[in-house]
Amino acid sequence: MSEKLEKIKKLSDVLGQLKTEFVGLDSIIDEIGKSITPWYITPEVLERPVVISLWGMSGVGKTSLIRRLLELLELQNSLISVDCGSEAGDNDNRSISRRLYDYFMVDEVDSENRNNERTIFIFDEFQHARFIDESGCEVRNQSIQPIFTLIDSGKLEFTEICDYDL
């Protein structure tokens, strides 16, 4: 069986498994499956990042679903998870940049354990990334700004990374 056919079968099996583990989310799992199929089966044809937004109340299983999907696809080593809620209150405006830099600029031994071409980002509590204040003005959180560039272009540009701990 060709590699692409094997991936199609694996993705189908994984989506079926998720439906047994996350009861009542069948239509959401189907939508996620449709969204990631080109990314998973033929990533070489994509020019932009695949962005999937899951909205819902806290605690309904959005993050657990994606983490389990990655585990079943054996891609959990390609994951960077950012809690935008905690980052929103972070005074170090370089924290996300530092984490991304540390992830991608690893030594070669570590890089063999991840497929950097297939990096998956979870931006949990994303509503904290930008919001409108009481007067209707946009409030921008500088610590979260690198996320918007990444989502837009799929590319990371590292400027000087500074360590402010002296």
Side-chain angles (χ1 to χ4, degrees), residues 47-72:
E47 295 180 15
R48 311 269 311 161
V50 174
V51 177
I52 300 172
S53 297
L54 298 178
W55 293 91
M57 292 174 34
S58 295
V60 296
K62 300 177 299 291
T63 303
S64 296
L65 173 64
I66 298 302
R67 287 182 182 277
R68 182 66 174 139
L69 169 69
L70 298 177
E71 181 182 334
L72 292 170

Side-chain angles (χ1 to χ4, degrees), residues 3-160:
E3 181 182 348
K4 288 189 184 353
L5 288 176
E6 287 176 19
K7 285 184 172 183
I8 290 168
K9 177 167 179 7
K10 183 172 185 172
L11 181 59
S12 177
D13 291 346
V14 163
L15 296 173
Q17 177 67 32
L18 289 172
K19 289 177 184 178
T20 67
E21 295 178 20
F22 293 86
V23 177
L25 299 180
D26 290 10
S27 64
I28 293 168
I29 292 168
D30 288 339
E31 287 299 314
I32 292 170
K34 286 180 203 172
S35 297
I36 68 166
T37 295
W39 170 85
Y40 184 68
I41 308 298
T42 56
E44 66 276 4
V45 302
L46 298 176
E47 295 180 15
R48 311 269 311 161
V50 174
V51 177
I52 300 172
S53 297
L54 298 178
W55 293 91
M57 292 174 34
S58 295
V60 296
K62 300 177 299 291
T63 303
S64 296
L65 173 64
I66 298 302
R67 287 182 182 277
R68 182 66 174 139
L69 169 69
L70 298 177
E71 181 182 334
L72 292 170
L73 291 175
E74 300 174 9
L75 294 171
Q76 65 271 26
N77 289 336
S78 298
L79 172 66
I80 295 178
S81 184
V82 176
D83 183 338
C84 296
S86 67
E87 296 287 344
D90 193 342
N91 291 329
D92 177 6
N93 66 4
R94 304 297 296 183
S95 63
I96 291 175
S97 295
R98 169 56 74 188
R99 288 178 61 198
L100 294 175
Y101 181 85
D102 289 347
Y103 181 85
F104 286 102
M105 304 311 238
V106 295
D107 61 58
E108 292 190 22
V109 174
D110 285 343
S111 66
E112 290 176 11
N113 295 326
R114 16 178 120 94
N115 180 354
N116 288 342
E117 293 178 7
R118 197 181 288 259
T119 302
I120 299 111
F121 296 90
I122 293 178
F123 299 116
D124 222 349
E125 302 297 331
F126 193 72
Q127 70 273 17
H128 296 288
R130 283 188 177 176
F131 57 93
I132 306 296
D133 66 15
E134 299 80 28
S135 64
C137 296
E138 180 180 8
V139 176
R140 300 184 91 177
N141 182 326
Q142 291 303 314
S143 70
I144 298 197
Q145 286 308 116
I147 292 173
F148 292 100
T149 302
L150 179 63
I151 290 172
D152 180 50
S153 68
K155 299 185 189 309
L156 290 172
E157 293 182 20
F158 292 110
T159 56
E160 182 180 351

